[in-house]
Amino acid sequence: MTNIPENTISYIYQVGGHRRGRFCHTKGIVCTGLLQHCEFGYVLKPSSEHEVEFYTKAPSVLKSFLPAFFGYSMYNNITFIHLEDLVADFNRPCIIDIKIGKYARCPRCAVKPSQSHEGLVRIGGFGLMQNGIFSTVKTNPKSSDSTTVTNILSTFFSHSKTNLLPGFISMVEKLLEAIEHISEQYSFYSASLLFIYDIEESSLSTVKMVDFSNSCFHADIDNFFSRGLDRLITILSTINENK
């Protein structure tokens, strides 16, 4: 039996992260994917006290780049944070999950050595609405070299009727400015960007930052997250120049 909170269903627009359950001898099958509340519409994400703390104390300069936070709940000793459904106003959403940075965890905080990646920009997965069905493609972030990232992003934006790249470049530039403003207080590890746009309504597009379970409340000495954002801007600019 799957242990999930009452009045919830699997969230169909999840494109990255864990989507399957994991077995626990004391709890049975525990859901690790995103859920959606059937009545209130918010998204439930299995989380941690650390991520709850981040959303509770999120700096004001960053809030426009975060999904709205509606608190949290506990179910079978699992913490679920309640987040805005980012595609609630979209008819035919296209979504891509982009992992930013080098380390999976803060090297100074991790109990065991933190996994590192060669690429500062990696693709966790993407999805789009086709023939009324939202189809997802899961990718392996560990093998996302620069060419792979460029090709996937080019494919992702090719479904738009208009050129959305300048707008997305501008949004990432504004996020980078915000991150640099708080770089002495926060460092981000395993955080992702979600790029979302609507195939039918070109005016509907957004960039949101998610996944803060491994973020730290101290300065990012190596600045890999900022460098990753800068690298992403370069990739997007190259794609735009070649359109």
Side-chain angles (χ1 to χ4, degrees):
M1 180 177 180
T2 301
N3 290 319
I4 63 173
E6 292 183 4
N7 209 21
T8 62
I9 58 174
S10 294
Y11 185 62
I12 65 171
Y13 296 110
Q14 179 174 353
V15 296
H18 300 288
R19 282 182 263 185
R20 298 180 179 178
R22 67 177 185 269
F23 181 76
C24 174
H25 289 288
T26 58
K27 302 174 186 176
I29 301 299
V30 179
C31 176
T32 58
L34 300 181
L35 303 171
Q36 185 164 30
H37 196 280
C38 298
E39 181 179 359
F40 301 114
Y42 57 72
V43 175
L44 293 85
K45 177 194 172 189
S47 186
S48 64
E49 293 182 3
H50 187 77
E51 190 165 28
V52 170
E53 182 181 11
F54 175 83
Y55 274 105
T56 302
K57 300 179 179 179
S60 58
V61 70
L62 206 58
K63 286 194 174 180
S64 64
F65 296 101
L66 306 178
F69 175 61
F70 302 120
Y72 68 98
S73 59
M74 297 290 294
Y75 184 81
N76 280 357
N77 295 320
I78 300 172
T79 300
F80 288 89
I81 54 174
H82 304 169
L83 301 175
E84 169 191 8
D85 178 10
L86 295 174
V87 299
D89 296 326
F90 289 68
N91 294 315
R92 295 181 62 194
C94 286
I95 312 169
I96 191 166
D97 180 295
I98 307 171
K99 283 289 183 185
I100 303 293
K102 182 175 181 179
Y103 291 103
R105 297 178 181 84
C106 173
R108 292 187 296 179
C109 302
V111 176
K112 57 183 179 180
S114 178
Q115 182 181 13
S116 64
H117 306 277
E118 291 298 324
L120 297 176
V121 179
R122 304 177 307 283
I123 306 299
F126 64 96
L128 65 152
M129 188 72 76
Q130 292 182 312
N131 300 319
I133 299 174
F134 187 76
S135 302
T136 60
V137 178
K138 191 73 168 66
T139 61
N140 183 1
K142 299 177 183 179
S143 61
S144 293
D145 56 42
S146 181
T147 300
T148 300
V149 170
T150 300
N151 290 340
I152 293 176
L153 283 169
S154 296
T155 300
F156 174 73
F157 281 106
S158 69
H159 296 280
S160 173
K161 297 177 181 178
T162 59
N163 183 11
L164 298 176
L165 281 161
F168 274 89
I169 292 169
S170 176
M171 284 186 275
V172 178
E173 288 175 339
K174 291 176 181 178
L175 173 58
L176 176 57
E177 182 179 347
I179 292 294
E180 290 179 339
H181 185 73
I182 59 172
S183 60
E184 294 184 0
Q185 292 83 38
Y186 296 87
S187 53
F188 301 99
Y189 300 92
S190 290
S192 292
L193 298 189
L194 295 180
F195 281 12
I196 310 172
Y197 72 84
D198 195 299
I199 294 178
E200 295 181 352
E201 299 289 338
S202 59
S203 60
L204 287 176
S205 61
T206 190
V207 172
K208 295 293 182 180
M209 189 174 169
V210 295
D211 298 337
F212 302 104
S213 289
N214 295 319
S215 297
C216 298
F217 299 96
H218 58 63
D220 184 358
I221 298 175
D222 296 317
N223 209 26
F224 282 116
F225 191 84
S226 294
R227 288 166 59 185
L229 291 178
D230 190 62
R231 176 61 184 152
L232 177 59
I233 292 169
T234 299
I235 293 172
L236 295 174
S237 298
T238 300
I239 297 171
N240 186 46
E241 291 169 2
N242 294 331
K243 285 186 72 69

